[in-house]
Amino acid sequence: MKLITALIATMLLAACASYSGSGLKPGVANLEQVQALMGQPAMRWQDADGSVQLAYPRGPYGYHTYMVKIGSDGRLQSIENVLEDSTFRRIVPGLSKEEVLRLLGPPNESRSVYNKARNELAWEWRFRDAFNEPARYVVLFDASAGTVRSAMVLREYMERSFFMR
């Protein structure tokens, strides 16, 4: 029984590490180790200085998107969950879709919609708010210009209560 418990605990720890990359050490791990643990990224950007940025969204049912930065030396610089207030504050009117993708990673495509009457595109990310409650961050784009008009947070409990009426 102890062996089974230890095996289950080890599997859970490995699953957590692969989800967030928590077992990877900045300055030590390289791109191959990141991908071996976290899998293939949903998006990848190559910067002019030779560094690389990788996006690991854990939705649509997860609450995180991890941005991994690999330096020009090929070593891990950082891993951070970007679905939080400090990143959301950087989403301002006028940003392009590409700039939003670089900040937040890919949106939940099943909940992203186009409103023809307003000529507006809505992208959505699921996250946990400051009270650790499920919420959705929505960015509204002017569909013609491809730039941010506004953004908002929708609490999931509000969404459920609205549809239950």
Side-chain angles (χ1 to χ4, degrees):
M1 186 66 164
K2 288 182 181 180
L3 179 61
I4 292 172
T5 303
L7 182 60
I8 290 171
T10 302
M11 288 171 44
L12 287 172
L13 286 172
C16 290
S18 65
Y19 180 85
S20 67
S22 63
L24 298 166
K25 300 213 181 318
V28 177
N30 61 32
L31 176 62
E32 292 75 28
Q33 292 167 322
V34 169
Q35 291 182 333
L37 185 63
M38 297 181 75
Q40 289 298 314
M43 299 187 90
R44 176 188 178 118
W45 297 271
Q46 181 79 44
D47 292 324
D49 67 357
S51 63
V52 176
Q53 180 179 333
L54 309 171
Y56 287 93
R58 299 308 192 197
Y61 301 108
Y63 298 101
H64 307 93
T65 293
Y66 293 97
M67 285 295 181
V68 175
K69 298 212 174 148
I70 306 289
S72 58
D73 63 355
R75 299 283 175 202
L76 173 66
Q77 289 181 335
S78 65
I79 300 176
E80 67 175 311
N81 173 34
V82 294
L83 300 183
E84 56 184 31
D85 287 339
S86 63
T87 311
F88 297 154
R89 285 192 293 271
R90 296 173 61 191
I91 306 299
V92 295
L95 284 182
S96 70
K97 290 179 190 175
E98 181 63 24
E99 289 170 312
V100 171
L101 289 172
R102 291 278 310 235
L103 290 170
L104 299 176
N108 177 351
E109 290 191 22
S110 68
R111 296 195 46 112
S112 297
V113 296
Y114 172 71
N115 180 321
K116 184 176 181 180
R118 293 178 48 91
N119 192 31
E120 190 168 69
L121 177 64
W123 283 359
E124 183 178 283
W125 293 261
R126 191 169 192 231
F127 75 105
R128 289 213 174 259
D129 67 13
F131 302 103
N132 204 30
E133 294 292 327
R136 297 180 187 278
Y137 186 71
V138 180
V139 177
L140 303 172
F141 293 92
D142 177 311
S144 295
T147 57
V148 173
R149 279 189 182 159
S150 63
M152 66 182 127
V153 171
L154 301 173
R155 304 287 188 258
E156 284 193 3
Y157 69 84
M158 292 173 65
E159 187 175 289
R160 284 193 302 268
S161 62
F162 175 76
F163 288 112
M164 293 179 76
R165 291 184 186 169

